[in-house]
Amino acid sequence: MRERVVHGPVPSAQTPAEWLRARAELPAAPPELHERWDSRWGKYIPAPPREPSGRLRVALISASPIGLGFVPTVLADDSVEVVGLSTDEVIDHGAKISRRRRIWRHWPDDHCNEYQAAIELSAVRAGVPVYSGEIKCQTFRDILAQWDPDVILVYVCGQLIPPHVFGHPRYGTYNFHPSNLHAGEGRGPGPLETAVEQGHRAVPTACHHVDEGFDTGHVVGVGRDTSIVDGDGRHLSIGDICFALGPEGGRMARRLLAEIRGRREVIYHLDFA
C-alpha cells in the first residue's frame, strides 16, 4: 500500500462555512511533513489511508467556480481513483495567488473564501487529500510522489505548472481551457474577457497538453459550446460564465479518462462532441 500521512480525523463539516471554521483549526501540515514543509502559504489536508483499487489514478488541479462544477463531476466517476486535489489558496491573504488578480478578482472576498471551501470540501468528503500551497516547492514534489497519479487534469490554476509536475504522470497532464485553441483564440489568463470583448455569444472548452507555457501545449480536442449570454442576448458576468463552464469541463474530463483507461497511453487526438 502507498503510504499516506494523516494528522488526525478530518472534521465532519457539512457546509463550506463549517469547513472554513474547521479548516482554520488545522495546522498547515501534518507532523510527518512539518520539518520538510517549504510552501510559503496554504495547507495540506491528508485523507485516511485506503487500499489500492487498481483503477486509473487521477490528480486534479482546479479552482474558482469553474472548479465547483469540474471537480465533483470527476469525483463522481467510479471507474477512476482520484488521489489528490491541488487548489488555489485565496483564504490566506498572504498567498501569492491574489484575490485581486486573475479570475478571483471577479468575486468579493467572502465569496472567494466560500468557493475555495466548497471545492476543498467536495474532495475531503470523498476521502481525497487536498493541497493549497505552492506547486513549485519540494513539499508538493513529495506529496505528488505519494499521490503517484497516472494522469493529472487541470482546470484553472493560479500558478504556472513546472515540468516536474506536468511531466510526472505516465499518461500525461491535460488542461481544460475555455476558448477555441484549435483556432488560436483566447490563449492565456483572460479568455473569457476576450470572448466578451469580441462579442462572442458562446465559448467552447479546449483540452490540451500542459507544457512550459500558458496554454501552448498540443491541443487534444475541443468540446461543446457553452452560452455566455442570457435570454435577452446580453453577456453574462464573468463570474456567472465560470459557473456555467465547469460541468462541460467535467464531461470532457470523463470522456478523456475513459479513453486513457481503454488505451493506456497518452492521448493526442479525441473527439469531445
Side-chain angles (χ1 to χ4, degrees), residues 253-273:
R254 292 180 66 158
R255 172 76 179 90
L256 175 66
L257 292 173
E259 194 74 8
I260 294 172
R261 286 199 318 275
R263 293 166 55 178
R264 294 287 169 168
E265 62 184 17
V266 177
I267 304 302
Y268 290 93
H269 301 283
L270 189 60
D271 181 0
F272 287 102

Side-chain angles (χ1 to χ4, degrees), residues 56-120:
L56 191 73
R57 298 173 63 83
V58 181
L60 302 178
I61 301 177
S62 189
S64 88
I66 289 179
L68 290 176
F70 179 74
V71 171
T73 303
V74 180
L75 287 171
D77 186 346
D78 292 334
S79 65
V80 301
E81 180 183 1
V82 178
V83 294
L85 165 69
S86 174
T87 193
D88 285 356
E89 176 62 65
V90 293
I91 295 170
D92 179 356
H93 286 230
K96 182 180 178 181
I97 304 166
S98 171
R99 61 182 69 201
R100 297 287 178 256
R101 298 171 58 211
R102 298 182 181 173
I103 200 168
W104 289 106
R105 72 183 185 276
H106 295 289
W107 302 282
D109 286 358
D110 57 339
H111 289 197
C112 290
N113 291 351
E114 180 182 347
Y115 300 152
Q116 180 183 340
I119 292 171
E120 290 183 350

